[in-house]
Amino acid sequence: METPGFLEPFVGRWTKRHLLDLESLTSDEITLLLDVAQAFKESTQDCRQKLPLLTGRTSVNLFFEDSTRTRISFSLAARRLGSDVIEFSASSSSLSKGETLLDTAKTIQSMCIDTLVCRHKAPGTAQMLSENMDVSVINAGDGPHEHPTQGLLDILTIRQHRGDLRGKTVALVGDIAHSRTARSNIWGLQKLGAHVIVCGPSTLVSRRWEEYGVEVSYDLDAILPRCDVLNLLRIQFERQYTRPFPSVREYALLYAMDQNRMQRAKSDILIMAPGPINRGVEITPEVADGEHSVILHQVNNGLAVRMAAMWLVSAGRAN
Amino acid sequence: MLKTLIQNGRVIDPSQEIDRVTNLLIEEGRIAAIDVEPTDEMKVIDATGKLVVPGLIDLHVQIREPGFEEDETIESAGCAALAGGFTSIAAISETNPPVDSAAAVTYLGRQASEADHCNVFPVACVSSGRQGEEMAEIGILHNAGAIAFSDGQRPVSNPELLRRALEYTLMFDRPVLNRPEMVELSRDGVMHDGSVSTVLGLAPMPAEAEDVMAARDIRICEATGGKLHLLAISCSGTVDILRRAKDRDVSVTASICAYQFALTDAAMRGFHTSLKLNPPLRSRDHIDACIAGLKDGTIDVIASGHAPRSSEKKMCAITEAPFGMVGLETALGLVSTHLVHAGHLDWLTVIRAMSTNVATVLGVEKGTLKPGADADVTLIDPEAKWTVDPSTFRSKSFNSPFGGVELTGRAVETIVGGVTKFRYDGN
């Protein structure tokens, strides 16, 4: 299929074969990804319309961790672009028979696939695959390292609601230590000119982030009046041996976004959460479902971002 | 009577504080004399431009036989040791079954004897089954030939067990080699705890895990009077603690792995499993403190930390990969490049840390070129430039992060008991 007119301005501008992280991307590359996603959204009736841009191509969802929204979002994005999609489940694969991750991936590659969408609990897995295989790799979350498409869809959501990110203050609140979303957000937001604050218990928010130009705070109430956006991250109990705070109750008291705190926030504050959300822990139901919440917009933007990513890495590979 | 003269080399022997260009005579497998002029009855080895040093001794070698022969055997480890310039290695138990019986010690000795490469000194377990609960039969193991006791990479976490072991080994005048790591602080850790691990999201191994355990071990050592050797230290805090202990004449020694000086934790940005090491690559401040510790004698020994793992064990996600890299064939080159040529240490200090001091720690009659000593000699070309090519390693495993890296300085001839066992021919 010929490139549709709304994508013409973006042709030839992306040169990378993979999308592994946001840290290594330039602000122009991030902006391009966001612009393409926006174009898909605006020109395909909110991504409902199919565009056979990747007809004849095959994408494999190589997910070694449980996922609902990300997996569905990637599958749908590939299908909307006309690609075949193979779902891979680690538990029913030869990995359970002792095969190495790389051998499994190479076996799949030998079946003439084009794109691997990989989620794994270990940081660097997507990068390792990209260095050892001849397909495009999209990182769908590598442990606590990065989740670039989640970062992009968060940023796209902010941009849609608040325009230019320059000068905006975005606070990431919660379990920064174990959050891949936080890491992708930090790099993406900073490259586009936003001021980023990481906020949460000192056991989950390292002072070392200051070395990277990020403001560190342990006091949500103190920073709240300055924030244009709050992105409330889930506490990842499954990644922790010892509880990093005395009780969920105490955490909620110190960091949950509730109606009282909403009163002290900017009147146009955006409330975001990458999900899945623990209602009553990071965010109370009335805030999650309230007028400032854009949580479902984020999910919706995910589809556009992933279509953009898949189309661009495919073009990058061709280049 | 066979006489070999190593002629015109720079003879460096820390045990005699010798560092001069001269000749070294070997006769009947022993050092006969230095400063000897050649005669017709001597076979001459021209060592012009080379260092002639007491055979290097590696105190920290994981031999994977029995149980993990796919990683390394005693045969292959011996070949690798010779290629790296080591005439002796201390084999630390990372085997299955572990070296906690007289039969296991005897087996090691027999396999080493059959291989007939370098000297292999068995290090037996401190605890039965390396389980860290009950003391192994140290007396029986000693009688079978064990020269030291260690649970290898598994630290003796139980302080009572360490106390008992240090007391008990006093009877045999043998050291306990313990890896100082408080595993509760480094559990599931993959890399050094620092700004790089913060960005990468890799589980951290904080320096405190080593410092705290080292302090505990030293205090127990001080109380018992036993001989403690801290294996593979890597942190500035540990160096400080060690320095103060030595000022109090505590009978503690320590070693560091050669790879520590070659890379910082920033190298982990590539997520390569060959860099997953324990202790991990540290940040520059820790490395500088360790170099200072080597300079002033706080750190006694440089080891290879040889930890061979077959390729399939490293072809996985970084969190699932085993720790370790092969080190026997690159240790000397790394030390030469990053400590000597970088201007931090002189060769006398390096040879002390890689030979003389090692012999002292292990209590073996090696590490010297004194007349009458076994003729274990390594010839080093300090200016030889060579590129690490893991495919040419004598080791069965290739898990080295240094493939393609150019180093300066390497062993060119390794002589064990007066017999040349390895000669570098460019491969």
Side-chain angles (χ1 to χ4, degrees), chain A residues 79-94:
Chain A
R79 290 195 169 97
R80 293 277 157 88
L81 295 172
S83 172
D84 289 327
V85 181
I86 307 294
E87 301 287 348
F88 173 90
S89 170
S91 58
S92 61
S93 76
S94 292

Side-chain angles (χ1 to χ4, degrees), chain A residues 23 122 131 183 208 212 241, chain B residues 188 193 195 198-199 269 272:
Chain A
E23 186 187 5
E131 289 170 1
R183 286 173 177 78
R208 292 192 182 112
Y212 300 94
Y241 283 110
Chain B
D188 273 359
D193 184 18
S195 56
T198 302
V199 167
R269 278 188 166 279
H272 292 156

Side-chain angles (χ1 to χ4, degrees), chain A residues 23 100-103 120-125 127-128 131 142 144-145 183 187 206 208-209 211-212 241, chain B residues 187-188 193-203 269-272 312-313 315-320:
Chain A
E23 186 187 5
T100 68
L101 167 68
L102 196 52
D103 281 337
H120 198 282
K121 66 182 178 183
T125 304
Q127 181 168 324
M128 187 262 278
E131 289 170 1
D142 57 337
H145 176 223
R183 286 173 177 78
W187 304 124
S206 172
R208 292 192 182 112
W209 281 112
E211 295 175 37
Y212 300 94
Y241 283 110
Chain B
R187 183 163 44 187
D188 273 359
D193 184 18
S195 56
V196 182
S197 68
T198 302
V199 167
L200 299 185
L202 284 170
R269 278 188 166 279
F271 295 104
H272 292 156
E312 62 269 22
K313 291 178 182 170
M315 280 170 54
C316 56
I318 195 162
T319 53
E320 290 158 14

Side-chain angles (χ1 to χ4, degrees), chain A residues 151-207:
Chain A
L152 288 166
L153 72 89
D154 288 349
I155 295 166
L156 182 64
T157 307
I158 299 170
R159 202 174 77 160
Q160 286 165 347
H161 287 84
R162 292 290 175 270
D164 192 350
L165 274 95
R166 271 174 293 192
K168 300 287 189 299
T169 296
V170 181
L172 308 169
V173 181
D175 187 352
I176 308 301
H178 301 96
S179 175
R180 50 191 169 220
T181 297
R183 286 173 177 78
S184 287
N185 265 269
I186 286 169
W187 304 124
L189 290 164
Q190 283 194 327
K191 283 168 197 272
L192 297 187
H195 175 67
V196 181
I197 306 174
V198 289
C199 179
S202 51
T203 44
L204 294 174
V205 178
S206 172
R207 277 274 170 217

Side-chain angles (χ1 to χ4, degrees), chain B residues 379-392:
Chain B
L379 270 61
I380 298 168
D381 183 343
E383 304 300 330
K385 292 195 184 300
W386 61 290
T387 301
V388 179
D389 179 0
S391 71
T392 65

Side-chain angles (χ1 to χ4, degrees), chain A residues 53-314:
Chain A
L53 291 165
L54 300 182
T55 301
R57 309 272 176 102
T58 304
S59 172
V60 176
N61 283 339
L62 199 59
F63 275 51
F64 298 94
E65 267 191 337
D66 293 338
S67 163
T68 305
R69 70 195 70 205
T70 304
R71 181 197 279 269
I72 290 173
S73 184
F74 269 111
S75 294
L76 210 48
R79 290 195 169 97
R80 293 277 157 88
L81 295 172
S83 172
D84 289 327
V85 181
I86 307 294
E87 301 287 348
F88 173 90
S89 170
S91 58
S92 61
S93 76
S94 292
L95 282 171
S96 60
K97 301 173 194 167
E99 189 173 60
T100 68
L101 167 68
L102 196 52
D103 281 337
T104 298
K106 284 186 169 174
T107 301
I108 294 170
Q109 174 183 274
S110 68
M111 298 177 197
C112 301
I113 63 147
D114 303 283
T115 307
L116 268 185
V117 178
C118 177
R119 167 168 288 191
H120 198 282
K121 66 182 178 183
T125 304
Q127 181 168 324
M128 187 262 278
L129 293 176
S130 75
E131 289 170 1
N132 287 283
M133 297 180 64
D134 191 28
V135 297
S136 288
V137 177
I138 297 178
N139 181 9
D142 57 337
H145 176 223
E146 281 222 37
H147 190 356
T149 54
Q150 179 68 48
L152 288 166
L153 72 89
D154 288 349
I155 295 166
L156 182 64
T157 307
I158 299 170
R159 202 174 77 160
Q160 286 165 347
H161 287 84
R162 292 290 175 270
D164 192 350
L165 274 95
R166 271 174 293 192
K168 300 287 189 299
T169 296
V170 181
L172 308 169
V173 181
D175 187 352
I176 308 301
H178 301 96
S179 175
R180 50 191 169 220
T181 297
R183 286 173 177 78
S184 287
N185 265 269
I186 286 169
W187 304 124
L189 290 164
Q190 283 194 327
K191 283 168 197 272
L192 297 187
H195 175 67
V196 181
I197 306 174
V198 289
C199 179
S202 51
T203 44
L204 294 174
V205 178
S206 172
R207 277 274 170 217
R208 292 192 182 112
W209 281 112
E210 289 174 345
E211 295 175 37
Y212 300 94
V214 178
E215 181 180 339
V216 173
S217 171
Y218 306 133
D219 187 344
L220 177 59
D221 291 309
I223 62 163
L224 192 54
R226 290 194 281 131
C227 294
D228 298 294
V229 181
L230 279 189
N231 200 346
L232 302 160
L233 309 177
R234 186 174 67 88
I235 302 297
Q236 303 197 29
F237 292 106
E238 72 276 15
R239 296 187 196 273
Q240 297 156 13
Y241 283 110
T242 51
R243 200 157 55 177
F245 42 79
S247 67
V248 169
R249 183 169 156 262
E250 180 162 316
Y251 179 85
L253 185 73
L254 294 172
Y255 297 106
M257 199 59 195
D258 57 18
Q259 283 295 11
N260 280 339
R261 287 201 164 99
M262 286 301 290
Q263 306 298 323
R264 296 197 296 277
K266 283 186 176 178
S267 59
D268 61 349
I269 191 167
L270 276 191
I271 300 295
M272 304 174 72
I277 58 173
N278 294 326
R279 288 171 184 259
V281 181
E282 301 98 20
I283 186 167
T284 57
E286 61 272 25
V287 176
D289 302 327
E291 59 179 323
H292 293 272
S293 169
V294 291
I295 293 171
L296 293 177
H297 294 241
Q298 291 172 260
V299 179
N300 181 263
N301 279 333
L303 188 54
V305 161
R306 282 157 189 142
M307 287 172 77
M310 296 189 107
W311 180 64
L312 286 172
V313 296
S314 175

